[in-house]
Amino acid sequence: MKSDVEEFMPRLLPVESCDTEEYNSNEPPRNPQEYLRQVQREASLCPDVVVAQIDPKKLKMKQSWLLNCKTCYITGCLAAPQGFSPCLKWQQQQVSTFSEVRQSVNKHRQHWKSQFLDDNVVMPKMEDEDGWKRFCLGENVCLDIQLKEEDKVNPSLDYIKTGFPPFLSIVSKLNQSTISAVLEYLINWFEERDFVPQLGRWLYALLACFEKPLLPEAHSLIRQLARRCSAVRANLESKDDDRLSALNLMICIVARYFEQNDLADKE
């Protein structure tokens, strides 16, 4: 029985009628004619209109990511207060040093990747955002635990509380998907919090492990990082602030090394 669509559309491959007694649609076709007849039969069983089942939550997340991505590419960094931005020579030196670090990481990656971690180092799964924040930054930072004065003078080496440093034996075991995910988790944390030394160490290490050329989502992440650093820098009150050098370094790496030139500090 022909469908309405079949009557209006011309046949590209004419198919001779088959004897229903000789042709069994449940068996593999024995010749081209039976194959075309089977295709026609399967097509006739398909509905004319199909409605896709779309998860609104996933659609909303995708639209949010695209909006953030477009925003990151349109807007640049906030201008640094007078005297807070580094000179071009300093930026070139940092790019050279960062390039050497990346070469060293690539050279020794396979060696450290094969090394066993200590028993106290338990890396979270890639999708565990809160776990990675605590792993990198420590419970003291993530939970806003106020340290006592004696703890500040003599800090302990409890990495659960202070965060695990980005040892090469750790970052060498991260693939590119995990590196991108952890970087996103830390940038999301940074968007709502202040800059801390643990964050700076991990951002530098993750950027050193990024393989070029970067994927579009990676470009969006590093641009978001540079813009956030510029916003924090714009609110600093003194050039002697300990955070200034680290913030300038992050902006420099993103703009100069990863060639996001519109974000670079100008002389």
Side-chain angles (χ1 to χ4, degrees), residues 80-142:
Q82 185 67 30
F84 281 57
S85 61
C87 65
L88 181 58
K89 182 179 180 180
W90 183 90
Q91 296 181 59
Q92 292 172 340
Q93 290 174 342
Q94 301 309 316
V95 169
S96 177
T97 301
F98 182 70
S99 179
E100 293 175 359
V101 171
R102 283 174 58 87
Q103 293 175 13
S104 178
V105 170
N106 290 331
K107 181 179 179 180
H108 300 97
R109 182 189 297 273
Q110 291 303 321
H111 167 75
W112 285 106
K113 188 176 181 180
S114 63
Q115 301 300 309
F116 291 101
L117 297 175
D118 293 338
D119 294 337
N120 65 326
V121 182
V122 180
M123 299 199 318
K125 295 182 179 180
M126 185 180 71
E127 62 274 10
D128 185 2
E129 181 171 354
D130 289 336
W132 274 109
K133 290 176 181 177
R134 293 193 182 194
F135 183 86
C136 299
L137 306 177
E139 291 183 351
N140 291 342
V141 172
C142 291

Side-chain angles (χ1 to χ4, degrees), residues 189-200:
W189 182 91
F190 185 32
E191 286 286 352
E192 300 176 355
R193 305 289 187 90
D194 202 356
F195 191 89
V196 294
Q198 297 95 316
L199 176 66

Side-chain angles (χ1 to χ4, degrees), residues 153-172:
V153 176
N154 299 308
S156 64
L157 288 179
D158 186 351
Y159 290 139
I160 301 298
K161 295 181 179 180
T162 62
F164 287 89
F167 295 126
L168 197 54
S169 57
I170 293 178
V171 296
S172 295

Side-chain angles (χ1 to χ4, degrees), residues 65 73 180 183 210 214-224:
W65 181 86
Y73 275 92
S180 181
L183 184 63
F210 251 149
L214 299 183
L215 296 175
E217 52 267 32
H219 275 110
S220 176
L221 278 176
I222 63 175
R223 290 179 66 86
Q224 182 183 353

Side-chain angles (χ1 to χ4, degrees), residues 61-77 180 183-185 187-188 191 207 210 213-229 254 258-260 262-263:
M61 290 175 60
K62 188 67 175 179
Q63 290 175 337
S64 176
W65 181 86
L66 289 173
L67 180 60
N68 291 336
C69 184
K70 292 178 180 179
T71 302
C72 284
Y73 275 92
I74 292 173
T75 58
C77 288
S180 181
L183 184 63
E184 182 178 4
Y185 299 153
I187 293 175
N188 289 340
E191 286 286 352
L207 291 176
F210 251 149
L214 299 183
L215 296 175
E217 52 267 32
H219 275 110
S220 176
L221 278 176
I222 63 175
R223 290 179 66 86
Q224 182 183 353
L225 171 60
R227 292 173 61 247
R228 174 57 182 164
C229 288
V254 171
F258 290 104
E259 300 175 337
Q260 306 299 304
D262 60 304
L263 304 179

Side-chain angles (χ1 to χ4, degrees), residues 237-262:
E237 298 180 354
S238 170
K239 289 185 289 185
D240 297 327
D241 195 303
D242 294 337
R243 296 168 293 176
L244 179 59
S245 180
L247 294 170
N248 283 337
L249 179 58
M250 291 296 108
I251 297 172
C252 173
I253 291 174
V254 171
R256 300 292 183 181
Y257 184 86
F258 290 104
E259 300 175 337
Q260 306 299 304
N261 297 319
D262 60 304

